[in-house]
Amino acid sequence: MPPQSPSRSVVITGVSTGIGWATAKALVARGYRVFGSVRKNEDGERLTREFGANFVPLVFDVTDSAAITAARQQVQKALGTEGLGGLINNSGVAAGGPLLLQDPALFRRNFEVNVFGLLAVTREFAPLLGATEYPQSLPGRILNISSVAGKLAVPFMGGYVSSKHAVEGLSHVLRRELLLYGIDVIIVGPGAVNTPIWDKGDDIGPYRNTPYFKPLAGFLAYFVKEGKKGFPPEEFGEKIATIFEAEKPKTRYALVPHKFAGWVLPRWLPDRTLDKLIGKQTGLLK
């Protein structure tokens, strides 16, 4: 039997708050059935009440392979012969600190969630997207949520920056390998989005008696202030939904507020010039 029309079902990881929540809201409003991952049952119940019958919670952590498999089985059963229209890999963490002093476990956590978790979810759901010999619907597409940090480096965010650089490379390789099945892979690189993450703050206490404490405190205050100037979540969710539906999408989108100052200029400046600017702003340059 030839593949049917494109599926209107999408899996999104990390939908409890922020970008994932906003994307789920936008796609449900556009008539999609959204399977959204959460780590707590109560979050799934809350979102089901909020979004309605077209939202289906999946309770799993992207670092738990058995839970990912169980979630895929749940989605597969719900889809029947339909197939999956899309996978949006949004789950991520940002554990910061100076690279010379940060607990290696915190650095590793960025990779466990942002890179290895993303790949584990992609491998599990790929057959439902059409990575199989006899697909049941037209190929789905994958959106990987990267970051400005996937292309630019800022101090004190080494684990996050490194992991998002890895997401960029992984995504380009996946897109080329999945040409075999017609599954597209699109990178979305957000700048600041005004989500609850900015109210959490990082614990910089472990660095109090180090030379990095003062520049780190100043950087964190600036980072939070700029983050709260970012896109409203609902606006950002609509942008991702529009990219997901694009007939001929680009391979990468930079969704950055104040785009010239926050994206174009830093990428245009020579590295040494940018080093000096960042060093003066943070107090790292004596």
Side-chain angles (χ1 to χ4, degrees), residues 9 14 30 34-35 37-38 65 88 94 116 136 154-155 180 196 258 284:
S9 294
R30 296 187 186 205
V34 172
F35 297 88
S37 84
V38 296
S65 58
I88 301 178
F116 303 131
Q136 294 177 314
V154 293
L180 182 66
H258 317 295
L284 287 167

Side-chain angles (χ1 to χ4, degrees), residues 7-13 15 19-36 51-56 84-90 141-143 145 188 233-246:
S7 169
R8 299 283 291 179
S9 294
V10 182
V11 168
I12 308 175
T13 62
V15 301
I19 291 173
W21 171 86
T23 304
K25 181 179 181 180
L27 287 174
V28 166
R30 296 187 186 205
Y32 288 86
R33 175 170 52 169
V34 172
F35 297 88
F51 294 149
N54 271 359
F55 176 81
V56 181
L84 187 63
L87 169 63
I88 301 178
N89 285 306
N90 167 71
R141 61 177 43 167
I142 298 169
L143 266 64
I145 306 300
V188 178
E234 289 88 348
E235 179 183 342
F236 195 83
E238 289 294 337
K239 290 179 182 292
I240 294 182
T242 297
I243 291 169
F244 181 77
E245 292 185 328

Side-chain angles (χ1 to χ4, degrees), residues 27-278:
L27 287 174
V28 166
R30 296 187 186 205
Y32 288 86
R33 175 170 52 169
V34 172
F35 297 88
S37 84
V38 296
R39 291 188 295 166
K40 299 177 181 178
N41 283 308
E42 52 265 37
D43 285 333
E45 293 167 1
R46 167 177 57 85
L47 294 174
T48 300
R49 291 193 300 269
E50 186 174 354
F51 294 149
N54 271 359
F55 176 81
V56 181
L58 305 173
V59 183
F60 71 88
D61 188 302
V62 299
T63 64
D64 185 337
S65 58
I68 297 170
T69 296
R72 189 266 302 158
Q73 291 171 341
Q74 179 183 343
V75 172
Q76 189 169 7
K77 182 177 180 180
L79 292 176
T81 60
E82 178 187 339
L84 187 63
L87 169 63
I88 301 178
N89 285 306
N90 167 71
S91 288
V93 296
L99 284 175
L100 295 183
L101 303 176
Q102 185 182 30
D103 182 345
L106 291 177
F107 183 91
R108 190 176 294 112
R109 176 69 177 164
N110 288 280
F111 277 83
E112 292 292 346
V113 175
N114 301 349
V115 183
F116 303 131
L118 180 153
L119 182 58
V121 171
T122 301
R123 287 166 62 105
E124 190 70 49
F125 283 94
L128 301 184
L129 293 166
T132 182
E133 188 174 0
Y134 300 108
Q136 294 177 314
S137 61
L138 294 177
R141 61 177 43 167
I142 298 169
L143 266 64
N144 287 337
I145 306 300
S146 179
S147 169
V148 165
K151 294 290 187 181
L152 299 172
V154 293
F156 309 125
M157 297 296 292
Y160 181 73
V161 168
S162 301
S163 69
K164 289 300 185 179
H165 272 63
V167 166
E168 300 273 339
L170 182 154
S171 299
H172 287 301
V173 172
L174 265 179
R175 188 181 66 255
R176 288 162 185 164
E177 291 183 351
L178 291 176
L179 289 170
L180 182 66
Y181 299 106
I183 299 171
D184 199 8
V185 179
I186 302 155
I187 303 167
V188 178
V193 181
N194 188 7
T195 70
I197 194 172
W198 304 112
D199 296 319
K200 296 179 181 178
D202 279 345
D203 179 15
I204 62 174
Y207 311 108
R208 184 171 299 279
N209 296 317
T210 76
Y212 282 113
F213 183 75
K214 187 175 180 180
L216 178 56
F219 169 80
L220 187 60
Y222 172 80
F223 203 57
V224 170
K225 182 181 72 174
E226 291 302 305
K228 291 187 175 183
K229 295 179 183 176
F231 290 114
E234 289 88 348
E235 179 183 342
F236 195 83
E238 289 294 337
K239 290 179 182 292
I240 294 182
T242 297
I243 291 169
F244 181 77
E245 292 185 328
E247 184 177 351
K248 295 181 178 180
K250 298 188 293 185
T251 60
R252 191 186 195 281
Y253 292 83
L255 302 182
V256 184
H258 317 295
K259 195 167 186 177
F260 180 78
W263 176 250
V264 176
L265 185 60
R267 297 198 61 192
W268 175 77
L269 289 172
D271 287 342
R272 299 294 187 188
T273 302
L274 194 55
D275 288 349
K276 290 178 181 178
L277 288 173
I278 290 174

